[in-house]
């Protein structure tokens, strides 16, 4: 069984995202340990893609830096194997369909299962196309994560019904990246999901401050924060580990008791 | 939809269907009134030569059911079709002694009762326009039937599309429609089966074989579903089509000419060369065909704002033009590198009232412009339509853009028949995403004798990294909403591509082209920068026509092909755009610096 459920057992879950290989894979590995210590419940490891169409400028730039630094899917898998020797924290891989497909979908997901990665998130694979990946995921005990957007409306029901692990609720329109204003509309989507599924719901996209995290956590079971952390990695480079650690700690504190 | 070829009685017929691979074939067993009737012994012999993937249907007319059961028992047939006056009682008895599926045929005449067909105990029903007479019937009578049915009577490769546009049979059934002089005709069988299979592929969520699909974020799913529904509606709406035709004719200047390039033909000394003059359209390229269709559709959908990507700027200018005409807000995304290469087009778009965004991400070229426009669409959906410029992206874009561009091949066909009394031997077009090429190919796909040749931009050569020839050098992948061929590395990272032509400078190709390549219906050849520049200069001097550098890729291949063909052959080159925009760049390529 995947360990996703465990991630939602310590109060509201805090789920950070980092781009693997930005600034390098040694730092990425250190970041995982540091964030686990700081209270992260599930960590999303981003495998960079050359043309990430669902990302805003921060993660686009990080992806490019990582790829220019020579990161590949195989090198990231080696790093995850090292992590798994030291840590049992729930892990998810977030990347794009082509990264999985070109590696060979079966081989990619089988490797994930063997390494003990718990979930796969592909933002460019909607409900209509998911079977190509989700059927393989079932075979290797990896949860294929479904996303719900503010535009999903009547689609929420069917997406939620077949979801696995947790439901990823996209907070607002647009791509990833920090926003000053996130509406509360997502609350009604979460309610709709809860009517159809017992899975936890985590809200992501645009959350960067403890206040925003608190607000989103009050509407759901956890929050996902990507760009705000990736931005720190970009700013501080190899010095980013303690800074990210403090940030994660502050965010987890803010939502723990919501 | 499936297809059944009925009334096989010769060994050749079996060879034909083994190649064509329909879903079902039918033997008419012991019904001497039909010239296609055969004995169970012959049926057994023919079945032994048939590809086992094809299901065999035995057709009987009021035969004793014990007799049918015996033939079922010997596995000569996989399904039973009852074509006489057999009633439910009969079917009940037959079902008791065989477990083969039963098809009951109903002749749709004046006394046809849809309720009886609807409630028949048979597994399937077959609706026939008249005892194998080949007459079609009024669809009014059967439009309310809800259960799956075979449709027969009067169907031929020429009318499949028309006959099944309003009703959706489980399978069509053809016999005399695929015969010539009362014997099965190989070409007709192939054409019918291919049409059905192709349609089937298209209907699977916009798939073309394995290609196509909808690989996009959930945020955009409802937008593309809404678009699909609107398009399905307006495509069959006479008012919409009339309005569009009027715009194409009165505003864009269609039909474009099919010009006989007499000097060029003589000079090359081989096949006759015709140029389809898309360069004479308003805004100077084929792009306007698609844009007028999509912007009109967006208007009908209540959208007030359009956004679009552009490479060389042709699609951007066309979109800005249509937006001006329809009074819509318009924003164009263009790679920074391209805004510098095509400064004049940037000015034109602004002049037409559009906002132009320079895209600096990635390689700052066409692929990044597409990515950025997709991102913009996820930010603002409710009032915005994304006018995709090529036969690419998520379903339904490849189909919508293809349908709007198909006017090119429709006209070529009519014009060629008028001028030459026959179809061309080859149609040649350049392929980036592939919209002008699919437009030039589409109405010839069923005409197997017409060679379809797509010319990809090889840049500095397909053995270098500076190329954009996707089919020659790429591999299967998933990007920009579709599965297709892409230039990419072993880890699926999209490769930077290069071509002298900004319009062909794209790392992917439309899914329908990928499919036409797979099934070998179209050929795709690489043409280098140098070859296309030579063709650019050649046409200018030879015919007094300056072609777009994109179109010059197709011309270049025509120059190679024509001399190898005899003088009675006909080649049509789709001259997709005019070359004014390229003059400065070509001059630079030749070492001459000029100001635009």
């Amino acid at each position: 069984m995947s360990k996703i459920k465990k991630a939602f057992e310590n109060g509201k879950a805090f789920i950070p995202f980092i781009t693997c290989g930005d600034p390098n894979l040694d730092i990425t590995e250190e970041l995982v340990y540091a964030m686990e210590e700081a209270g992260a419940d599930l960590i999303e490891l981003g495998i960079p893609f050359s043309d990430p169409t669902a990302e805003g400028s921060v993660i686009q730039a990080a992806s490019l830096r990582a790829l220019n630094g020579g990161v590949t899917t195989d090198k990231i898998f080696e790093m995850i194997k090292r992590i798994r020797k030291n840590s049992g924290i729930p892990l998810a891989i977030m990347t794009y369909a082509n990264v999985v497909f070109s590696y060979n979908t079966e081989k990619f997901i089988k490797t994930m299962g063997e390494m003990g990665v718990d979930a796969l998130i592909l933002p460019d694979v909607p409900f209509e196309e998911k079977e190509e990946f989700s059927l393989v995921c079932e075979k290797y005990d990896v949860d294929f994560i479904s996303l719900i957007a503010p535009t999903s409306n009547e689609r929420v029901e069917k997406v939620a019904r077949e979801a696995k692990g947790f439901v990823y609720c996209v907070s607002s329109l647009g791509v990833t990246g920090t926003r000053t204003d996130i509406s509360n509309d997502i609350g009604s989507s979460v309610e709709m999901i809860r009517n159809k599924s017992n899975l936890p719901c985590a809200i992501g996209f645009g959350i960067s401050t403890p206040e925003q995290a608190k607000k989103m956590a009050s509407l759901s079971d956890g929050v996902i924060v990507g760009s705000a952390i990736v931005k720190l990695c970009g700013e501080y480079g190899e010095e980013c580990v303690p800074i990210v650690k403090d940030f994660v700690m502050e965010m987890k504190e803010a939502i723990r008791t919501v | 939809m499936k297809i059944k070829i009925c009334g096989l009685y010769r060994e050749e017929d079996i060879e034909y269907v083994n190649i064509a691979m329909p879903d079902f074939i039918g033997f008419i067993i012991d019904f001497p009134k039909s010239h296609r009737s055969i004995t169970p012994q012959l049926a057994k012999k023919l079945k032994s030569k048939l590809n086992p993937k094809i299901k065999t249907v035995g057709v009987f007319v009021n035969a004793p059911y014990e007799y049918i059961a015996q033939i079922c028992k010997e596995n000569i047939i996989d399904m039973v079709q009852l074509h006489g006056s057999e009633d439910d009682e009969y079917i009940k008895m037959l079902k008791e002694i065989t477990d083969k599926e039963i098809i009951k045929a109903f002749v749709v005449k004046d006394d046809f009762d849809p309720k009886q067909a609807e409630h028949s105990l048979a597994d399937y029903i077959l609706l026939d326009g008249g005892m194998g007479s080949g007459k079609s019937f009024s669809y009014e009578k059967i439009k309310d039937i809800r259960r799956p049915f075979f449709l027969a009577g009067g169907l031929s490769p020429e009318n499949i599309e028309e006959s099944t546009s309003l009703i959706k049979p489980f399978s069509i059934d053809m016999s005399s429609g695929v015969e010539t002089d009362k014997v099965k005709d190989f070409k007709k069988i192939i054409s019918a089966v291919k049409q059905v299979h192709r349609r089937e592929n298209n209907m699977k969520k916009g798939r073309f074989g394995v290609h196509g699909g909808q690989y996009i974020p959930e945020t955009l799913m409802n937008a593309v579903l809404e678009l699909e529904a609107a398009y399905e509606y307006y495509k069959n709406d006479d008012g919409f089509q009339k309005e569009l035709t009027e715009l194409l004719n009165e505003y864009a200047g269609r039909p474009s000419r099919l010009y006989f390039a007499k000097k060029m033909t003589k000079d090359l000394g081989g096949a006759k060369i015709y140029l389809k003059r898309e360069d004479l359209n308003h805004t100077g390229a084929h792009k306007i065909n698609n844009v007028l269709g999509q912007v009109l559709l967006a208007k009908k959908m209540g959208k007030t704002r359009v956004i679009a990507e552009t490479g060389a700027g042709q699609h951007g200018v066309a979109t800005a033009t249509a937006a001006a005409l329809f009074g819509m807000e318009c924003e164009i995304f263009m790679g920074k590198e391209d805004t510098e290469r095509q400064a004049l087009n940037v000015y034109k778009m602004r002049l037409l009232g559009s906002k132009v965004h320079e895209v600096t991400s990635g390689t700052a070229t066409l692929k990044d412009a597409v990515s950025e426009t997709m991102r913009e669409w996820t930010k603002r959906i409710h009032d915005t339509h994304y006018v995709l410029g090529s036969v690419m992206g998520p379903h339904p874009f490849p189909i919508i853009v293809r349908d709007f561009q198909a006017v090119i091949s429709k006209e070529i066909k009519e014009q060629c028949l008028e001028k030459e009394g026959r179809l061309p031997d080859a149609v040649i077009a350049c392929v980036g995403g592939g919209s002008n090429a699919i437009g030039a190919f589409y109405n010839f796909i069923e005409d197997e004798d017409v060679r379809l040749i797509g010319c990809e931009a090889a840049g500095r050569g397909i053995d270098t990294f500076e190329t954009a020839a996707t089919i020659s050098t790429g591999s299967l992948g998933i990007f920009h909403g579709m599965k297709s061929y892409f230039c990419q590395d072993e880890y699926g990272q999209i490769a930077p591509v290069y071509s002298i032509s900004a319009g062909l400078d794209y790392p992917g190709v439309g899914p329908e082209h990928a499919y036409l390549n797979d099934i070998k219906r179209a050929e795709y050849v690489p043409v280098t920068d140098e070859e296309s520049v030579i063709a650019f200069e050649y046409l200018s001097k030879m015919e007094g026509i300056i072609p777009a550098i994109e179109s010059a890729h197709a011309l270049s291949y025509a120059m190679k092909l024509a001399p190898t063909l005899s003088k009675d052959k006909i080649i049509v080159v789709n001259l997709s755009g005019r070359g004014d925009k390229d003059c400065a760049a070509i001059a630079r390529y030749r070492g001459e610096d000029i100001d635009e």
Side-chain angles (χ1 to χ4, degrees), chain A residues 218-257:
Chain A
S218 72
L219 301 169
S220 65
D221 305 299
V223 296
I224 303 160
V225 175
S227 296
I229 294 173
V230 173
K231 203 170 167 188
L232 294 175
C233 298
E235 268 171 42
Y236 294 92
E238 296 191 5
E239 315 298 319
C240 70
V241 179
I243 292 153
V244 169
K245 189 176 177 179
D246 286 349
F247 178 77
V248 171
M249 211 178 281
E250 188 190 2
M251 294 295 269
K252 177 69 189 180
E253 275 314 308
I255 66 169
R256 192 186 294 274
T257 55

Side-chain angles (χ1 to χ4, degrees), chain A residues 69-112:
Chain A
V71 152
T72 66
T73 303
D74 280 318
K75 288 180 186 171
I76 291 168
F77 283 169
E78 288 312 311
M79 175 201 70
I80 294 174
K81 284 178 198 159
R82 289 198 298 275
I83 291 173
R84 270 295 173 242
K85 284 183 187 153
N86 302 314
S87 165
I89 186 166
L91 291 175
I93 284 180
M94 177 151 177
T95 187
Y96 283 76
N98 202 42
V99 171
V100 179
F101 180 79
S102 298
Y103 192 84
N104 181 309
T105 303
E106 179 91 17
K107 188 174 143 203
F108 188 101
I109 296 171
K110 184 168 182 260
T111 309
M112 284 179 69

Side-chain angles (χ1 to χ4, degrees), chain B residues 289-357:
Chain B
N289 305 330
N290 165 45
V291 161
L292 287 173
Q294 278 198 54
V295 177
L296 182 63
L297 182 63
K299 188 101 186 167
K300 301 275 179 204
M301 290 170 73
K303 306 287 180 185
T304 54
R305 172 179 179 253
V306 289
I307 55 174
E309 85 293 345
T310 195
Q314 292 305 101
H315 177 59
V317 169
T319 306
T321 299
L325 180 68
F326 285 92
M328 289 169 98
E329 199 185 330
C330 179
E331 293 181 39
I332 304 293
F333 294 80
M334 188 171 183
K336 186 166 191 301
E337 180 147 331
D338 292 332
T339 60
E340 285 159 8
R341 285 198 280 197
Q342 299 286 347
L344 183 61
N345 273 340
V346 176
Y347 175 75
K348 282 187 195 167
M349 289 182 263
R350 291 194 171 127
L351 180 67
L352 290 158
S354 291
K355 203 165 165 183
V356 181
H357 299 275

Side-chain angles (χ1 to χ4, degrees), chain B residues 7 37 89 91 105 117 133 154 162 213 226 228 235 295 328 338 358 365 367 372 435 439 441 472 499 525 552 582 591:
Chain B
S37 175
E89 196 58 33
I91 294 170
S133 63
E162 191 195 334
E226 180 199 1
E228 189 180 352
K235 160 176 111 170
V295 177
M328 289 169 98
D338 292 332
E358 284 183 357
T365 59
K367 85 170 162 75
E372 209 50 44
S435 70
F441 294 172
S472 302
S499 163
V525 295
D582 299 306

Side-chain angles (χ1 to χ4, degrees), chain A residues 48-53 55 60 72 74 98 102 123-124 126 128-129 132 147 149 151-152 154-155 173-174, chain B residues 205 207 213-219 221-222 361 367 375 378-379 476-479 483 488 491-494:
Chain A
F49 177 50
S50 52
D51 300 82
T53 47
E55 313 295 348
Q60 281 180 51
T72 66
D74 280 318
N98 202 42
S102 298
D124 58 345
E128 279 72 3
E129 303 291 350
E132 182 177 351
L147 288 93
T151 50
S152 295
E154 75 291 344
R155 293 169 54 78
L173 292 178
Chain B
K205 277 189 288 177
R207 290 281 173 176
Q214 295 179 304
Y215 299 89
I216 47 168
E218 171 63 22
T219 307
M221 270 315 295
N222 263 330
S361 59
K367 85 170 162 75
R375 291 186 185 112
T378 63
K379 282 180 203 161
L476 192 61
I478 299 168
F479 182 47
K483 190 174 274 179
Q488 54 183 326
Y491 290 105
Q493 306 296 345
I494 303 302

Side-chain angles (χ1 to χ4, degrees), chain B residues 170-306:
Chain B
F170 164 74
S171 172
I172 56 169
D173 189 330
M174 294 170 114
S175 186
S176 59
V178 288
E179 290 180 347
T180 301
D181 299 332
K182 291 199 166 183
V183 292
K184 290 286 179 284
D185 182 318
F186 178 59
K187 278 198 168 175
K188 288 183 182 172
I189 293 177
I190 286 276
S191 164
V193 175
K194 278 200 173 175
Q195 278 188 61
V196 170
H197 285 175
R198 224 171 255 146
R199 254 179 58 142
E200 192 59 15
N201 278 324
N202 282 1
M203 278 157 75
K204 266 189 252 153
K205 277 189 288 177
R207 290 281 173 176
F208 305 90
V210 300
H211 307 283
Q214 295 179 304
Y215 299 89
I216 47 168
E218 171 63 22
T219 307
L220 289 177
M221 270 315 295
N222 263 330
V224 298
L225 293 174
E226 180 199 1
L227 176 63
E228 189 180 352
Y231 180 63
E232 283 301 315
Y233 176 80
Y234 285 109
K235 160 176 111 170
N236 299 316
D237 180 70
D238 291 343
F240 179 86
Q241 290 301 340
K242 199 173 153 239
E243 210 174 330
L244 179 59
T245 304
E246 196 168 306
L247 279 167
L248 289 172
N249 294 352
E250 302 302 320
Y251 186 70
R254 298 209 74 87
S256 72
R257 301 299 174 126
L258 186 68
Y259 167 72
F260 175 45
K262 203 169 164 187
K263 265 184 86 192
M264 185 176 170
T265 299
K266 195 171 168 215
D267 183 61
L268 294 170
K272 284 174 104 167
I273 296 174
Y274 281 90
L275 304 176
K276 179 62 175 165
R277 299 291 308 272
E278 291 298 300
D279 60 317
L280 295 180
N281 295 339
H282 180 41
T283 70
H286 70 291
K287 293 289 184 191
I288 195 81
N289 305 330
N290 165 45
V291 161
L292 287 173
Q294 278 198 54
V295 177
L296 182 63
L297 182 63
K299 188 101 186 167
K300 301 275 179 204
M301 290 170 73
K303 306 287 180 185
T304 54
R305 172 179 179 253
V306 289

Side-chain angles (χ1 to χ4, degrees), chain B residues 148-170:
Chain B
F149 62 91
F150 286 75
L151 180 69
L155 292 167
S156 67
E158 291 75 39
N159 67 17
I160 294 176
E161 182 137 354
E162 191 195 334
S163 310
T164 56
S165 62
L166 298 173
I167 46 169
K168 303 279 171 254
F170 164 74

Side-chain angles (χ1 to χ4, degrees), chain B residues 194-202 207-212 445 471 483-485 509-522 524:
Chain B
K194 278 200 173 175
Q195 278 188 61
V196 170
H197 285 175
R198 224 171 255 146
R199 254 179 58 142
E200 192 59 15
N201 278 324
N202 282 1
R207 290 281 173 176
F208 305 90
V210 300
H211 307 283
I445 290 176
I471 288 180
K483 190 174 274 179
S484 187
Y485 293 114
V509 67
E512 192 162 6
H513 284 296
Y515 176 63
L516 291 175
N517 176 67
D518 288 358
I519 62 167
K520 303 201 164 22
R521 177 60 193 97
Y524 294 85

